[in-house]
């Protein structure tokens, strides 16, 4: 087992990516290389940056990767507004994604604070 797999923040990031994949499956086919792809790549980037950052010897470097993961999370949130306005996410789906993003954001912020305070 890799160290990052034990991080609850990473585990939740995988769950978040699963949710994004599930919700974007119903997007129009002509968006497959547009918003669908962008949202999925940004969602996957969250867990990837947590994993990569955890391999760094410097706590400051790890914290920087957590900032990048947070940026990717914010991308998904912004893109979900577009998807909702286009009618590809209904209100319930949007709220589910938004609430999951809020939780993920809190976890990333907490992990970053923890990393920096123990460095």
């Amino acid at each position: 087992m890799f160290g990052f797999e034990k991080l609850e923040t990473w585990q939740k990031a995988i769950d978040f990516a699963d949710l994004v994949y599930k919700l974007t499956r119903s997007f129009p086919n002509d968006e497959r290389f547009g918003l669908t792809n962008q949202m999925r790549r940004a969602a996957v980037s969250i867990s990837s940056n947590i994993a990569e950052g955890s391999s760094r010897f410097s706590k400051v470097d790890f914290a920087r990767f957590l900032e990048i993961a947070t940026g990717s999370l914010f991308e998904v949130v912004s893109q979900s507004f577009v998807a909702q306005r286009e009618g590809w996410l209904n209100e319930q789906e949007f709220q589910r994604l938004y609430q999951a993003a809020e939780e993920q954001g809190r976890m990333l912020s907490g992990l970053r604070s923890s990393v920096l305070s123990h460095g």
Side-chain angles (χ1 to χ4, degrees):
M1 178 178 266
F2 293 95
F4 65 83
E5 292 176 271
K6 299 174 188 167
L7 295 171
E8 185 181 0
T9 307
W10 178 83
Q11 294 167 7
K12 285 288 190 180
I14 294 294
D15 292 342
F16 185 76
D18 284 342
L19 177 60
V20 169
Y21 267 78
K22 179 182 179 197
L23 293 176
T24 57
R25 273 191 198 108
S26 63
F27 284 16
N29 283 338
D30 64 345
E31 276 302 315
R32 191 177 47 193
F33 300 109
L35 196 59
T36 302
N37 187 46
Q38 282 186 293
M39 287 181 74
R40 288 176 174 186
R41 288 173 60 95
V44 168
S45 178
I46 298 166
S47 61
S48 298
N49 276 291
I50 295 168
E52 185 174 354
S54 73
S55 74
R56 302 299 166 134
F57 293 108
S58 159
K59 299 296 184 184
V60 173
D61 282 350
F62 188 10
R64 178 70 186 125
F65 276 89
L66 294 172
E67 289 174 13
I68 295 167
T70 300
S72 295
L73 175 68
F74 288 6
E75 283 183 51
V76 175
V77 171
S78 180
Q79 293 158 354
S80 69
F81 276 94
V82 174
Q84 183 191 34
R85 290 177 81 152
E86 292 297 318
W88 304 331
L89 289 175
N90 64 37
E91 182 63 25
Q92 182 181 1
E93 292 167 330
F94 175 82
Q95 287 302 324
R96 185 174 172 202
L97 187 61
Y98 194 89
Q99 289 168 2
E102 285 182 316
E103 179 185 19
Q104 185 71 58
R106 283 190 298 273
M107 293 181 82
L108 284 164
S109 178
L111 180 57
R112 184 177 180 278
S113 294
S114 176
V115 163
L116 290 174
S117 69
H118 293 97

